[in-house]
Each structure stands twice: as structure tokens, then as C-alpha cells.
Amino acid sequence: MLKRLIYLVSIILLLSCPLNGQQFVDVKAELQGISEGSARWIDSDRDGDLDVLLMGERFKGQTRGISTHIYRNLRNDKFARYAPGIPDLHRGDFDVADFNLDGIEDIAVMGEKPDGTLIATIYRGIGNGQYQPTSIPFTPARDGSIRFGDFDGDGDQDILIAGEAKSGLITQIYRNDRNNTFVLIDAGLRGIKRGIAIWYDYNLDGYPDVFVTGADQRGSPFSMLYENTNSSFVALNTGIVPLKHSFAATGDFDNDGDLDILVIGESTNNSITTRLYRNNRSQGFSRIVVPFVSVRSGFADWGDFDGDGDVDLLISGESAKGPVSKIYKNNRLSGFSELNENVTGLYMSTGQWGDYDQDGDLDILIAGLTYDFQYHTKVYRNDLPLVATTIAGKEEVYEDIFNNSVVVPERAGPTYYYLYSSSYTKLEGAKEKAYYLFISPVKKPRKQFEMEDVYNQMIRKKYPEWSQIDQGNIVAIGKPSMAEGVSSRQRIIDEYSGKSFKVIEINW
């Protein structure tokens, strides 16, 4: 008993240490400070490490500027700025994906140019860190978002865009019909500004649904989940709070196999709020009361910064006491704990987790305005030693570390998985390029990423050129039973076959 007590105390001390020391270090990356825009990691030069794309407004003294630049990762905490061929934008957003299936990532952008012109289009990646304009016209807009996602399951990336256009507020979906052709579909989504529209497959049916939050045409807060039925988008009454100056981030905080959702923003009574909703699938959503800082005009991102197998939270924005940026560690059954980290407090902020130094843990990219209106873009290196934690047996007692927080019990999620990926490429021995679907069998993995490792080994052995054609676009689908997994897998095969994809089964 004494030995067990000493063991438990040791574990508690070990796990509590990161809460008191500074684990995230400002590397003084000397990136241009921006606000009213977007900052994200991107491997623009395809060298295997993460570069930084910055888009937004900046001030130096009394001089205002608007810029879009990429900072190439030179490693050893050094970055070099260059112009990627994308116009200078602010009040906008961008996203990255391979829309034309040529194996090189492209960039979708929306926002406002320095002369006030609105834009929304795609810039095609040419593989050397530069991007070329396309003639693809989406509805030009600002103060919103743009996202890639395959809503119709045909293997290519469609577009979801929201914001303020000259004709009014929009939230629109464009179907990718390939050959640089996108078709606007009648999705019936309410237009918003000062918010975001994201793809969100809340019910795990393989068809991305859409979540929209922001100010509607009347300036009122709005939040809505639209279910993708594969023939239309249907508004669902989820009870998620209507918000403006808002943002939404999805992540499986309770490790039950589906994506939960966190929203930030300003509610109907002008109060600032941050709310976490647990995804109960067909049973709707339930609010989990955790004392995250309430913010608006900012962002949130889920990521496992400490490598313990659950997602933690990075959050930033304007609170009732001014700009803040905070990190919350996910302690599973005992809630979340705030780390004592001196990440610069920002609002009108943007950012993301990402492993820029390739040491196996997640670092921080963050940009925005300070309380004294200084523009910042910072990279914080994660120097936290990765600790393998053990969940103790029933003799241990967990104590909720926050007043009024809800202890969330674990529950069974999907246990049977299959993987698939698609590409437009010329395989070795083939006469010409073709569309391919690569798909695995349904398996019950023993550990996380086991199937991905085997899938990559098998496919690389059979197709040595895989590293050039895949670009990491592997989709994992999980189901509660083998029968459901087999049925779901067959549906994917049927849909891709119906669109003239050649199906290649990667069996083991």
C-alpha cells in the first residue's frame, strides 16, 4: 500500500510540474505583426517542415500596410520572408489543399485588397513556394472565411465561403467539377460576417456537414449546424449559442471518437462567451461547463501539445479584461487546467498549433493586436518533455480541479476503422494519368495510428512513387461495429467507382 501511495504521489507531482514552469519559449522569429487576417502553418516549398503564411493589416508608426507573405522555415528558429505571388489582403482568410489533384497544395483566398477591391479565388501551387492565379471566380467577400472540403465524397476539394460581399452577406458552397471548374450549389445557408463557416462531420457519415456562426444580415448573433444529407443541407436545432465576432473549433476532447465543438464570440445580450459542446451524435449536443476564458474576435485551436493522447486547447481573443492568450491542458476525467505560460495576450487574433521544428511536439503560431495596439506575430517553441501518462485503476479518485465544471465520463466510440485516399496521377507502368481510390480493409487497431503505419508501408512497397502523389491526404473512418465499417467502406467504393475512379485495395 505504501509503495502504491508513493507511486501515485510521484505521478501527481510529475504531471503537475508543467503547470508551473515556462514550457513555451518565444523564439524571436522576427515575423511581421498582423491583425484583421490569417496566420497559419504551410509547407509551401515542400521540404518537409512548416513555413508561415501571413495575411493581414499592419501598422509601423503612423503608416498602415496590408500584406500577404510567406516566411520560409530555415530551421534553427530562423525564417526568411518572401512574396509568394498572392495579392496583399486583409479582412480575409485562406486555406490550403490540392484542389486539382496534381500532388501540389494550392491556396484558396478571400478578402480585401489595399484599393478596396474584394477577392475570392484559388492560387495554384507550382511546387517551388510560388503560386499562380487561376481564373476560378468565387463570390468576392471579406470579414469571413474560406475552407476546402469534399462535401460530395467524389475525391476532390470543394469550397465553403462566408462573409460580406457587395450584394450582402453570403455562406456558399462551390462544387469542384475539376478542370478549374467550380459550380455554385443551392445549399440554403444563411449568410454571415465577422464569423466563420467550417466543414464539420458531426455524425461521422463521411459527408461533411457545415457549421456557421457570425453576425447575420440584421447584425444579430447567429449559429447553425446544417446536416449534409448527400442531397441537401438541413438546418438542425442544436441549442448552440448564437454568436457574432465569433469562431468555432472542432476536436474530440473526450476521446469518444467524434468531434465536439467549441465556440467563442458575443451573444445576444452583448456578453462575451466561450462554450464547449459535447457531440452526442443522434442525441444532439450537451454543454460542458468549463471555466475557459470568455473571448470574442479571436480564435481557438485543439491540439495535443503534451503527447498524452488527448487534445488540449489554445485560445486567444478579447476578454472583458482585455486581450488574452491561454493554453488549457486536457486532464480527461478531471477537467482542464490552465498553464502558467506567458503567451502574449492578443485580440483580433489568429493562429494555430504546429510542429515547425520537427521535434515531435506542437508549437504555437499566433498573431494579433495587444492592449496597446501593437501588432504581433510570434512563434512559441514547445520545450515540454513528452510524458507517457498512465490511467490508474478504480482505486484512484479523480477530483474536479474547477468549481462548477462537469466531469465527463469516457464512453465507447468507433473501434473498427478503414482508411482511404484518392489521387489523380500516373502510376508506374500506366500509360496515362487517371483517378485512383486507394482503400484499406476494415480492421480493429490495437493502438492509435497503427493502421496508418501499415497502410503507408504497404502502399509504398507496391507504389514507390507514393510519396510524390499522396501528399498525406489519408482519411480514416471509424464505426462501432465490423458490419457498419464494411457497409461504409463499400459505399465509398461504390461512390468513387461511379465517378470513374479506379479502385485499388491495399489489403493486409
Side-chain angles (χ1 to χ4, degrees), residues 374-433:
Q374 298 298 309
Y375 289 73
H376 284 272
T377 299
K378 290 181 174 291
V379 173
Y380 291 89
R381 187 183 64 238
N382 183 354
D383 286 347
L384 174 69
L386 294 182
V387 179
T389 61
T390 301
I391 302 299
K394 61 184 180 181
E395 290 184 37
E396 290 202 35
V397 177
Y398 292 90
E399 181 180 355
D400 183 4
I401 59 172
F402 286 123
N403 292 329
N404 302 319
S405 75
V406 174
V407 175
V408 182
E410 304 259 3
R411 64 188 176 98
T415 53
Y416 293 88
Y417 288 83
Y418 66 92
L419 310 175
Y420 73 90
S421 54
S422 62
S423 182
Y424 178 64
T425 189
K426 182 181 177 182
L427 293 180
E428 185 176 340
K431 293 182 179 179
E432 58 186 7
K433 279 188 171 184

Side-chain angles (χ1 to χ4, degrees), residues 426-446:
K426 182 181 177 182
L427 293 180
E428 185 176 340
K431 293 182 179 179
E432 58 186 7
K433 279 188 171 184
Y435 291 102
Y436 292 94
L437 170 70
F438 303 88
I439 192 164
S440 80
V442 180
K443 297 281 187 179
K444 185 177 182 180
R446 293 167 297 179

Side-chain angles (χ1 to χ4, degrees), residues 76 127 146 156 206 285 431 463:
N76 298 313
I146 191 165
D156 53 34
F285 290 80
K431 293 182 179 179
Y463 303 102

Side-chain angles (χ1 to χ4, degrees), residues 190-495:
R190 185 181 298 188
I192 58 98
K193 66 178 179 180
R194 294 293 180 182
I196 190 171
I198 60 172
W199 302 107
Y200 175 30
D201 187 12
Y202 85 98
N203 54 5
L204 301 177
D205 65 352
Y207 292 106
D209 312 294
V210 173
F211 181 77
V212 180
T213 179
D216 67 11
Q217 196 69 48
R218 298 172 299 173
S220 301
F222 177 76
S223 295
M224 183 62 67
L225 176 63
Y226 295 88
E227 182 174 349
N228 180 356
T229 67
N230 195 26
S231 60
S232 64
F233 285 84
V234 178
L236 302 180
N237 182 18
T238 60
I240 295 176
V241 60
L243 296 171
K244 59 184 177 181
H245 303 293
S246 48
F247 192 89
T250 61
D252 185 12
F253 86 91
D254 52 2
N255 279 344
D256 65 351
D258 54 34
L259 292 175
D260 311 295
I261 188 165
L262 178 131
V263 293
I264 66 171
E266 182 182 319
S267 64
T268 305
N269 59 2
N270 297 320
S271 65
I272 301 173
T273 188
T274 295
R275 295 193 186 182
L276 175 61
Y277 293 89
R278 179 179 176 179
N279 181 356
N280 300 308
R281 302 186 200 178
S282 61
Q283 310 303 312
F285 290 80
S286 55
R287 182 183 174 190
I288 305 301
V289 181
V290 285
F292 296 143
V293 61
S294 291
V295 294
R296 66 181 177 188
S297 301
F299 78 97
D301 193 28
W302 296 100
D304 184 11
F305 80 85
D306 53 0
D308 64 352
D310 50 37
V311 290
D312 312 293
L313 183 66
L314 170 65
I315 187 170
S316 174
E318 181 185 10
S319 74
K321 296 181 179 180
V324 296
S325 300
K326 293 182 179 293
I327 302 168
Y328 293 92
K329 174 178 167 55
N330 186 345
N331 299 307
R332 301 194 185 186
L333 295 181
S334 53
F336 289 81
S337 50
E338 180 182 340
L339 267 66
N340 181 25
E341 298 290 337
N342 289 326
V343 178
T344 300
L346 300 172
Y347 75 107
M348 304 299 293
S349 49
T350 174
Q352 196 178 30
W353 294 106
D355 183 14
Y356 82 95
D357 55 358
Q358 297 183 303
D359 65 349
D361 55 33
L362 293 178
D363 312 295
I364 293 173
L365 170 67
I366 190 168
L369 277 173
T370 62
Y371 72 95
D372 56 352
F373 306 108
Q374 298 298 309
Y375 289 73
H376 284 272
T377 299
K378 290 181 174 291
V379 173
Y380 291 89
R381 187 183 64 238
N382 183 354
D383 286 347
L384 174 69
L386 294 182
V387 179
T389 61
T390 301
I391 302 299
K394 61 184 180 181
E395 290 184 37
E396 290 202 35
V397 177
Y398 292 90
E399 181 180 355
D400 183 4
I401 59 172
F402 286 123
N403 292 329
N404 302 319
S405 75
V406 174
V407 175
V408 182
E410 304 259 3
R411 64 188 176 98
T415 53
Y416 293 88
Y417 288 83
Y418 66 92
L419 310 175
Y420 73 90
S421 54
S422 62
S423 182
Y424 178 64
T425 189
K426 182 181 177 182
L427 293 180
E428 185 176 340
K431 293 182 179 179
E432 58 186 7
K433 279 188 171 184
Y435 291 102
Y436 292 94
L437 170 70
F438 303 88
I439 192 164
S440 80
V442 180
K443 297 281 187 179
K444 185 177 182 180
R446 293 167 297 179
K447 60 182 181 180
Q448 192 176 21
F449 304 126
E450 178 186 38
M451 289 189 66
E452 286 84 348
D453 291 343
V454 177
Y455 182 88
N456 271 309
Q457 290 173 16
M458 297 289 291
I459 207 168
R460 286 174 185 272
K461 183 177 181 181
K462 191 171 183 179
Y463 303 102
E465 66 271 38
W466 176 250
S467 60
Q468 281 75 48
I469 66 176
D470 167 57
Q471 295 297 300
N473 297 319
I474 299 175
V475 179
I477 301 294
K479 297 294 179 181
S481 69
M482 173 64 80
E484 290 174 279
V486 170
S487 175
S488 173
R489 177 181 181 272
Q490 187 59 50
R491 180 172 61 79
I492 293 293
I493 291 175
D494 292 344
E495 288 178 356

Side-chain angles (χ1 to χ4, degrees), residues 32-138:
Q32 173 68 59
I34 59 112
S35 183
E36 291 268 29
S38 190
R40 239 175 279 169
W41 301 108
I42 172 177
D43 185 10
S44 60
D45 50 8
R46 307 174 75 209
D47 64 350
D49 54 30
L50 294 176
D51 312 301
V52 175
L53 196 159
L54 296 179
M55 168 194 296
E57 176 185 80
R58 69 186 192 279
F59 271 84
K60 188 172 183 180
Q62 298 299 313
T63 305
R64 176 176 179 263
I66 294 171
S67 65
T68 300
H69 284 94
I70 290 179
Y71 286 81
R72 181 177 283 116
N73 186 348
L74 304 179
R75 306 192 179 180
N76 298 313
D77 301 336
K78 301 298 182 184
F79 295 83
R81 170 174 159 170
Y82 73 94
I86 300 171
D88 294 332
L89 297 172
H90 74 139
R91 301 178 70 174
D93 191 27
F94 69 86
D95 200 17
V96 178
D98 180 12
F99 89 94
N100 54 3
L101 301 176
D102 65 352
I104 301 172
E105 289 188 327
D106 313 293
I107 299 179
V109 302
M110 57 89 69
E112 182 178 318
K113 294 182 178 181
D115 64 1
T117 303
L118 302 184
I119 184 177
T121 186
I122 293 176
Y123 283 78
R124 182 176 65 87
I126 58 176
N128 62 354
Q130 292 294 319
Y131 299 84
Q132 296 178 341
T134 66
S135 58
I136 299 169
F138 307 126

